Amino acid sequence: MQKVIAIVFAVLLSSITHTTELEQKALNSLYDEIWHHTMISSPTYATYVGYPGQNGRWSDISLETVKTNKEKRREFLERLRALNSENLDEDSLLGWQLVEKNLSDEIDGYAFPEEFILIHQRSGVQQDIADTLSMMPKASRQDFTDRIARLQGAADYIDQNILMLREGLRRNITPPQITLRDVPDQIRNTTPEDLLKSPLLKSFGNFPKSMSKDEQNKIINEAIAIVKDSTYPAFARLLTFLENDYIPNANSSIALSDMPNGANWYRHRAKRFTTSDLTPQQIHSLGLREVKRIRKQMDNVIAESGFNGTFEQFTTFLRTDPQFYMTSAESLLAGYRDIAKRADPELAKMFGKLPRMPYGVIPIPDYAAKSQTTAYYWGGSSKDGRPGYFYANTYALETRPTWEMEALTLHEAMPGHHLQISLAQELPETHALLQNLSYTGFVEGWGLYAESLGDEMGFYQDPYSKFGQLTYEMWRAVRLVVDTGMHLFGWDRQKSIDFFASNTAKSMHDIEVEIDRYISWPAQALAYKIGELKFKELRARATEKLDEKFDLRSFHDQLHEKGALPLDVLDHRTDIVSYTHLRAHETKANLVC
């Protein structure tokens, strides 16, 4: 009898294993399809991640193709949900849940006409073309053939943008007018009279040794001809359209809630960016509480510094005293690089696993710097041999104080964005689709949490740098208040600027650029503080639960072992992992005893 039972059990186990393998194979096959569709529908993103075969193309942003792509994504979600997820192992189930959430959130967003919001001073076709060309690889003759093909297609891409912008204008769906004011000059900076100074041609250099001088000259001359005869005229058409039609007739309101179905649009964006169930009202209230808490810490730092004056006098001192400002772009970049170098040896104390991908610190391109924020990060690609880059803004040096440099470097480079994004890209035996899922609450929350690690890494030793770190934390708390305030609760731009200026030492130029960023990118800025608070909450819970067994390096590694996650999934998973870690530790201790 026992033998019969054993045989039946073995058959059942074999059947279950076979079923699980079939479901896993079907899931991986679907991942392949979703990833490939993502790459062919967004060729510039394909270039960013190093996906082959798309480097000569631009996205087709026409209404017809947008509709087709939406239908395809709906089909993917239906097929994903049709799989029996109960037959998947733990890791595969997590992947299924992440892709399901990503697709369903994306599809929920189809209720709102995002496809018409294509341009403002932070992004758009006026920057995309030069930025994409600069990002492309240069390892072979084919790389430059692709570069020529992409440059050749730029005029059609610009004209397609004009058509979509015109249709958005007809439907009264445009970015706020205030966020478009610098776009014409960005186009002029991209198309200077001296064609050889155009950023469109900047990437046509550093040829591989396999290409002869004749081949190189042929490529350069072809690129010059395309820019002169095709790209420049297309940009001229865009400039005329923007200045004569689009900008004068764009929406004057800064509030997303004033758009068709705008209040629900904002709520959707807030939920998607934060990956939390917090309502805009709860986020607004949380922001006010955080502003009050951080302000008290800032007042304490001022008192400890020995400064004899008010908060406003201290921030004026930090904004205006020459001792806090570099005198050249080169010295500013050197300062950032020095901080990055000093951070590197401290990382081993806080992380058991570090990324292999190298990174550099370079300036934001001149043609975009005026309207860009203080800094940003671009991930690298091991496939294309491109490192990660921390882009620092060297425009208007009198607005780039040294007291903010430590916090900014830790956020954008290590242990911030470069560490987190690179570790996700280097996940072993993980599908590229899962490696590149990105959740703003996790990604930007980690960047802000990384700033707070500076105290443990030996930074913020003088009161000015410490005040700078608190200014950066306050900056993200202020965002919760002004972003929700402007888009849902009737705040105007000036009220938001005044609230920002009264609580931070950021320069007025930076404050205005930031406020315009929140206007042009509703709800994105909410993710930073929400994510940071979640990381700090998880660390506090793990510390309390594990007590003296808590290990910071192990905790940080656990946070990153599955890449970026929605904050609700991260919360659940971290509780499970911390408990498992504790049980494993106790079991090991018992065995030793």
Side-chain angles (χ1 to χ4, degrees), residues 225-240:
I226 293 170
V227 168
K228 178 182 177 182
D229 299 333
S230 178
T231 319
Y232 265 38
F235 270 125
R237 293 191 292 274
L238 176 63
L239 182 61
T240 298

Side-chain angles (χ1 to χ4, degrees), residues 55 85 104 122 126 185 197 241 247-248 326 366 371 382 400 414 420 450 465 488-489 521 537:
N55 283 352
S85 58
S104 60
R122 290 198 67 255
Q126 81 281 10
D185 280 344
K197 293 182 179 179
F241 165 69
I247 296 176
M326 301 289 193
D366 291 341
S371 303
S382 58
R400 313 294 172 197
M414 295 282 263
Q420 182 267 312
S465 289
L488 215 54
F489 302 131
W521 206 358
E537 175 195 337

Side-chain angles (χ1 to χ4, degrees), residues 490-528:
W491 286 39
D492 63 24
R493 182 174 179 269
Q494 191 57 52
K495 180 178 180 179
S496 300
I497 290 172
D498 292 343
F499 184 82
F500 201 141
S502 66
N503 285 292
T504 78
K506 294 285 285 180
S507 72
M508 289 308 298
H509 172 80
D510 267 5
I511 289 172
E512 291 182 9
V513 169
E514 279 295 315
I515 292 298
D516 289 344
R517 168 191 171 179
Y518 311 150
I519 295 171
S520 64
W521 206 358
Q524 188 271 351
L526 305 178
Y528 295 65

Side-chain angles (χ1 to χ4, degrees), residues 349-526:
K349 303 173 186 176
M350 314 194 83
F351 300 90
K353 184 174 183 180
L354 294 169
R356 298 185 299 274
M357 176 68 69
Y359 71 96
V361 182
I362 59 177
I364 291 174
D366 291 341
Y367 59 84
K370 180 181 177 181
S371 303
Q372 279 287 0
T373 50
T374 313
Y376 57 81
Y377 172 79
W378 268 16
S381 170
S382 58
K383 293 178 181 177
D384 288 338
R386 185 186 73 246
Y389 281 116
F390 161 21
Y391 282 82
N393 203 326
T394 58
Y395 171 81
L397 291 171
E398 69 280 5
T399 69
R400 313 294 172 197
T402 54
W403 44 259
E404 72 178 2
M405 293 174 67
E406 289 185 347
L408 184 59
T409 304
L410 300 185
H411 181 107
E412 301 294 347
M414 295 282 263
H417 286 330
H418 181 71
L419 180 141
Q420 182 267 312
I421 292 171
S422 297
L423 283 177
Q425 291 175 340
E426 295 170 10
L427 287 174
E429 298 180 4
T430 303
H431 198 283
L433 175 63
L434 299 177
Q435 287 178 329
N436 289 280
L437 289 177
S438 182
Y439 300 94
T440 310
F442 187 106
V443 174
E444 296 298 353
W446 175 261
L448 182 50
Y449 172 77
E451 293 176 26
S452 72
L453 297 177
D455 286 312
E456 298 166 85
M457 296 173 69
F459 291 98
Y460 315 140
Q461 294 300 300
D462 66 75
Y464 306 123
S465 289
K466 181 59 183 177
F467 195 86
Q469 182 255 320
L470 290 173
T471 287
Y472 265 49
E473 188 179 2
M474 175 68 89
W475 171 20
R476 280 42 170 262
V478 164
R479 288 173 170 178
L480 302 184
V481 180
V482 299
D483 195 295
T484 51
M486 289 189 294
H487 287 294
L488 215 54
F489 302 131
W491 286 39
D492 63 24
R493 182 174 179 269
Q494 191 57 52
K495 180 178 180 179
S496 300
I497 290 172
D498 292 343
F499 184 82
F500 201 141
S502 66
N503 285 292
T504 78
K506 294 285 285 180
S507 72
M508 289 308 298
H509 172 80
D510 267 5
I511 289 172
E512 291 182 9
V513 169
E514 279 295 315
I515 292 298
D516 289 344
R517 168 191 171 179
Y518 311 150
I519 295 171
S520 64
W521 206 358
Q524 188 271 351
L526 305 178

Side-chain angles (χ1 to χ4, degrees), residues 79-139:
R79 291 169 57 191
L80 184 70
R81 288 173 172 171
L83 293 174
N84 189 350
S85 58
E86 294 181 359
N87 288 333
L88 300 173
D89 60 30
E90 182 182 347
D91 283 348
S92 298
L93 178 60
L94 175 62
W96 183 95
Q97 292 170 334
L98 295 179
V99 176
E100 194 276 342
K101 178 178 178 58
N102 213 57
L103 284 172
S104 60
D105 284 351
E106 178 185 340
I107 290 165
D108 286 346
Y110 294 165
F112 313 106
E114 296 274 3
E115 59 266 28
F116 297 111
I117 309 298
L118 291 172
I119 196 166
H120 45 71
Q121 59 204 41
R122 290 198 67 255
S123 66
V125 68
Q126 81 281 10
Q127 297 178 27
D128 289 348
I129 294 174
D131 285 350
T132 301
L133 290 170
S134 70
M135 184 173 57
M136 294 174 65
K138 298 182 176 183

